[in-house]
């Protein structure tokens, strides 16, 4: 087979080139060269100009950083060199063959043309690049994202009266008619009115007698605009969604209205006006749908988690207001604070509540029951809204975390002076505190004074560093990923505790070392980079690694929500392409390298 044809055939089996039109793929192959690389031969070294993207056909290529630390060993169908090409920089890594290899060299100018002209290629190589922004436009949504899953159904033999009762009970305007043979039709409130109430059909007759059989349906892959156009053209208000297996869901005019209106601002407004926790819960129940829309609109992970966290903040402040309306004005000033993911403004599709109360030192014992009731009212309300109770009881309902300011000062002084394991754990949680509602002056000096005292105590800092290294990236021997070995999540990766949390812990250590004020993890890394706690290259690598892991976690949760599952953190690496697995592993290697630097106390990292 001629070389261009052979290259075309190989590239057609490698993503993202398999997404290219045949003429484009053939043209790309004609521009490529195939190189045989001997053992120990270098494709490029630190500081070299990288002139090509390399795609491995066979063999193995080792990638090392500026310190000679192995970052990855890449095999067939993996690419390398894109980092320097995307950044327009000289190589910050070295690439060496560890076995006799064949590699395809794709010239830099061709690579950049593909990036500029083909979104699938651009998104594959640069995960930070957002897709075309469409916001909440209906044009950007598929029916599958919007439809009501598992709609209420009945059999064709069901009496009309019983079907009407089902509709009333579920507060719906239509019911789908199904049996083991499949989907047969639909009955709407308009049918009941025109055929039964006005038309006089006996309500004890089977529902099949009034159902619409030749129903206009759509497939789940259709665009929501297809639904809208169908409704307008045919003057209908309900569109069943079916595939070869039968009925999957239904889209109504109400669903369309909700899709157009749903935004974080919409949810915030509804929560801020809510009269009780139940009304708030109806709004927060839409957070998973909002998460999907934010991810699929191409927003960065730190923007998405900030918007999601804002909703929790508003819910907390509204509950505090409702509590005061019920209990009366607070007897002394107080401050409600969040810690954990809410404190760091990093909430995703699944979150518990971590919070506490700082009370004025003017508090008397007789006034304490007021704040116990306030804490219970707010925590119960948050649980009703989907922010479930903290398994470790790190909540204001625990008397230990509902105390005057002087007690809180004593807590931090004791933790710093005697950093036993419990003190390390508690300090890690409490260093992520962020004021939510109340008198913020109760926290200002506490935060700055605590950071100052902690940074000056080298023993405490050393213990905190040791504690931060307990969460390790899931790296296996050679070039594998270390998946969970048993239990419900066997052969999966925990993208929270072994992915995001190690970076969160690093950010907290940099905060202590530099007396930095940010609480958000990415803001902490940026502040550490600006303060010289991280070298330019080390900081850039860690930010890139964190962005990839955090984004992959949100993408996982989006897929789970769209599949009708609860959002979670466990990823099966077999669901990733070779390229994605390689880059995820590289991100974990960066995190592990930075952990080693912190643990060894080498000063400016990276």
């Amino acid at each position: 087979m001629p070389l261009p044809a052979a290259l075309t055939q190989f590239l057609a089996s490698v993503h993202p080139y398999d997404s290219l039109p045949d003429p484009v793929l053939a043209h790309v192959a004609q521009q490529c060269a195939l190189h045989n690389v001997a053992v120990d031969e270098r494709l490029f070294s630190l500081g070299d100009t990288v002139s090509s993207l390399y795609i491995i056909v066979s063999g193995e290529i080792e990638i090392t950083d500026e310190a000679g630390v192995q970052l990855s060993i890449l095999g067939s169908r993996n690419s390398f060199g894109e980092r320097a090409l995307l950044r327009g920089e000289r190589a910050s890594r070295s690439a060496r063959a560890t076995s006799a290899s064949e590699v395809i060299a794709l010239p830099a100018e061709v690579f950049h043309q593909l990036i500029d002209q083909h979104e699938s290629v651009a998104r594959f190589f640069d995960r930070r690049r957002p897709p075309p922004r469409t916001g909440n436009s209906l044009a950007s949504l598929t029916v599958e994202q919007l439809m009501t899953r598992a709609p209420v159904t009945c059999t064709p033999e069901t009496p009309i009266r019983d079907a009407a009762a089902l509709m009333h009970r579920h507060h719906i305007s239509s019911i789908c008619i199904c049996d083991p043979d499949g989907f047969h039709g639909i009955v709407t409130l308009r049918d009941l009115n025109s055929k039964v109430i006005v038309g006089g059909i006996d309500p004890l007759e089977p529902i099949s007698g009034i159902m619409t059989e030749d129903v206009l349906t759509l497939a789940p892959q259709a665009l929501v605009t297809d639904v809208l156009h169908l409704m307008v053209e045919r003057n209908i208000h309900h569109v069943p969604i079916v595939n070869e297996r039968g009925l999957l869901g239904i889209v109504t005019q109400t669903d369309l209205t909700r899709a157009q209106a749903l935004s974080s601002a919409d949810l915030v407004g509804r929560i801020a006006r809510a009269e009780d926790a139940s009304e708030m819960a109806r709004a927060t129940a839409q957070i998973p749908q909002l998460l999907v829309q934010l991810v699929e609109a191409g927003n960065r992970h730190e923007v998405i988690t900030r918007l999601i966290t804002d909703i929790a903040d508003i819910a907390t402040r509204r509950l505090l207001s409702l509590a005061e309306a019920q209990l009366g004005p607070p007897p002394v000033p107080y401050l409600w604070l969040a810690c954990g993911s809410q404190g760091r403004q990093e909430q995703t599709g699944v979150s518990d509540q971590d919070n506490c109360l700082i009370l004025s030192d003017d508090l008397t014992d007789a006034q304490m029951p007021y704040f116990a009731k306030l804490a219970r009212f707010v925590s119960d309300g948050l649980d009703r809204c989907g922010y479930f109770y903290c398994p470790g009881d790190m909540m204001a309902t625990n008397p230990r975390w509902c105390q005057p300011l002087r007690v809180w000062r004593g807590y931090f002084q004791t933790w710093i002076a005697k950093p036993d394991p419990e003190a390390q754990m508690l300090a890690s949680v409490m260093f992520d505190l962020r004021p939510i509602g109340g008198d913020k002056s109760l926290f200002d000096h506490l935060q700055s004074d605590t950071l100052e005292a902690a940074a000056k105590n080298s023993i405490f800092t050393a213990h905190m560093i040791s504690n931060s290294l307990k969460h390790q990236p899931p790296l296996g021997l050679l070039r594998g990923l270390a998946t969970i070995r048993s239990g419900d999540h066997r052969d999966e990766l925990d993208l929270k505790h072994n992915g995001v949390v190690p970076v969160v812990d690093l950010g907290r250590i940099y905060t202590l070392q530099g007396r930095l004020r940010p609480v958000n993890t990415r803001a902490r890394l940026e502040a550490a980079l600006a303060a010289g706690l991280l070298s330019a290259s080390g900081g850039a690598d860690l930010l890139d690694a964190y962005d990839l892991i955090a984004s992959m976690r949100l993408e996982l949760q989006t897929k789970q929500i769209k599949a009708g599952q609860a959002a979670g953190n466990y990823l099966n690496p077999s669901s990733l392409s070779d390229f994605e697995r390689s880059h995820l592993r590289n991100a974990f290697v960066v995190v592990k390298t930075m952990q080693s630097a912190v643990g060894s106390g080498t000063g400016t990292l990276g």
Side-chain angles (χ1 to χ4, degrees), residues 320-532:
L320 287 169
S321 177
L322 292 172
E324 289 186 20
Q326 178 174 303
L327 301 173
V332 296
Y334 72 87
L335 178 62
W336 184 283
L337 303 98
C339 46
S341 59
Q342 184 183 358
R344 297 189 305 273
Q345 296 179 301
E346 293 167 7
Q347 287 189 316
T348 62
V350 52
S351 297
D352 61 358
Q353 54 175 293
D354 298 284
N355 46 59
C356 64
L357 272 169
I358 298 178
L359 311 175
S360 168
D361 282 338
D362 295 331
L363 179 79
T364 65
D365 289 343
Q367 295 165 334
M368 183 62 84
Y370 175 95
F371 293 104
K373 293 176 183 177
L374 180 139
R376 175 54 59 191
F377 184 99
V378 176
S379 285
D380 286 352
L382 288 173
D383 181 71
R384 183 75 177 269
C385 291
Y387 306 101
F388 53 87
Y389 299 120
C390 173
D393 204 19
M394 299 290 293
M395 298 185 297
T397 50
N398 183 338
R400 188 179 186 184
W401 312 126
C402 179
Q403 291 292 333
L405 177 59
R406 63 178 180 275
V407 175
W408 279 99
R409 285 190 177 277
Y411 284 162
F412 280 102
Q413 289 169 1
T414 300
W415 295 336
I416 293 170
K418 299 178 180 179
D420 59 27
E422 183 189 37
Q424 296 167 35
M425 182 274 292
L426 293 174
S428 294
V429 173
M430 295 303 177
F431 274 119
D432 293 347
L433 284 173
R434 181 172 60 88
I436 303 297
D439 186 348
K440 294 184 180 180
S441 68
L442 291 170
F443 185 63
D444 287 342
H445 294 297
L446 176 64
Q447 183 190 39
S448 57
D449 292 350
T450 299
L451 284 173
E452 187 71 21
K456 288 180 178 179
N457 190 318
S458 59
I459 296 177
F460 173 76
T461 302
H463 278 282
M464 286 292 289
I465 289 173
S466 176
N467 187 63
S468 73
L469 301 181
K470 290 180 179 178
H471 294 105
Q472 293 286 324
L475 293 169
L477 297 175
L478 301 177
R479 54 193 175 107
L481 293 168
T483 57
I484 298 169
R485 302 181 67 176
S486 61
D488 293 340
H489 299 289
R490 182 178 178 180
D491 298 328
E492 295 179 327
L493 303 173
D494 185 344
L495 289 183
K496 177 181 178 181
H497 291 101
N498 299 115
V500 171
V501 169
V503 186
V504 170
D505 290 340
L506 284 172
R508 192 180 297 113
I509 294 302
Y510 302 144
T511 294
L512 293 177
Q513 292 178 332
R515 302 171 177 82
L516 306 175
R517 297 296 290 267
V519 178
N520 173 265
T521 297
R522 202 177 198 286
R524 282 172 165 173
L525 299 182
E526 291 173 339
L529 184 58

Side-chain angles (χ1 to χ4, degrees), residues 19 32 69 78 125 194 217 224 227 234 246-247 285 312 330 332 381 471 499 527 530 581 585 590 595:
S19 67
C32 291
V69 175
N78 284 164
F125 283 105
S194 64
T217 64
V224 174
V227 179
R234 302 298 182 92
L247 180 69
V332 296
H471 294 105
R581 277 196 301 275
R585 185 186 184 280
V590 168
Q595 285 183 324

